[in-house]
Amino acid sequence: MKFSKRHFAKTITWRIIGTLDTLLLSWYISGDLAIGMKMGAFEMITKMVLYYIHERVWFKSKIKSSNKRHILKTFSWRGVGTLDTIILGWLISGNPLTGLKIGGAEVVTKMLLYFGHEKLWYRINYGLDRRIERQRLNNLKN
């Protein structure tokens, strides 16, 4: 798999947002700051790996419509992310219901946060040197 500075940067920015959300929700739902901190720490690792892979797969997508693409990406990522959260929540808290509650709460918060993150990154050309060059050439032709 080829390294992409854009996908790496998106992974980092999303993970900061996602980790804070997970930490706060886990703490609130479990009532235990230690569980929130452990969830944030473990998810930082698992989600960065999973997110980077998700980005590489979606980069090859032929879907051009930005809204359709963002919505589909949001749902596919949330499926992967929620499953990871439920499993980690169960393992860390020792209670499968706690894992389900944390995962369930994140379905709402993370989808809204992720959609906004995607819309922002869609407008940023960072790491898209070929796109920038094509835009410059098109502007010169016109």
Side-chain angles (χ1 to χ4, degrees):
M1 207 180 294
K2 181 182 161 199
F3 179 78
S4 166
K5 65 183 180 179
R6 177 182 179 80
H7 299 144
F8 186 75
K10 281 182 74 175
T11 299
I12 297 299
T13 58
W14 173 245
R15 190 49 7 226
I16 291 167
I17 294 165
T19 297
L20 288 172
D21 184 56
T22 298
L23 188 151
L24 294 172
L25 283 174
S26 299
W27 177 15
Y28 178 76
I29 290 168
S30 71
D32 186 343
L33 178 58
I35 289 176
M37 298 292 280
K38 287 177 187 174
M39 284 292 293
F42 278 104
E43 274 205 351
M44 190 176 299
I45 297 163
T46 61
K47 292 288 195 314
M48 282 181 72
V49 171
L50 293 171
Y51 185 81
Y52 185 82
I53 293 167
H54 186 259
E55 277 299 303
R56 295 301 297 158
V57 168
W58 269 96
F59 188 69
K60 296 173 190 225
S61 169
K62 302 291 185 212
I63 299 170
K64 297 294 181 205
S65 166
S66 70
N67 280 335
K68 182 179 179 182
R69 179 183 177 84
H70 299 319
I71 289 168
L72 290 172
K73 263 183 93 171
T74 299
F75 279 96
S76 68
W77 171 244
R78 194 64 260 139
V80 170
T82 298
L83 185 59
D84 182 56
T85 298
I86 290 169
I87 292 168
L88 285 175
W90 178 2
L91 293 173
I92 290 170
S93 72
N95 183 340
L97 188 56
T98 299
L100 284 169
K101 286 180 183 178
I102 296 168
E106 277 193 358
V107 166
V108 176
T109 60
K110 288 275 188 346
M111 284 181 73
L112 293 171
L113 291 168
Y114 184 82
F115 185 81
H117 183 260
E118 277 299 303
K119 292 294 277 184
L120 179 64
W121 269 98
Y122 191 75
R123 298 180 187 279
I124 297 171
N125 282 327
Y126 177 77
L128 296 175
D129 301 329
R130 287 185 187 140
R131 180 192 286 180
I132 295 167
E133 189 60 33
R134 275 195 309 263
Q135 287 173 345
R136 286 184 187 149
L137 289 173
N138 286 337
N139 289 339
L140 290 174
K141 289 177 185 177
N142 296 329

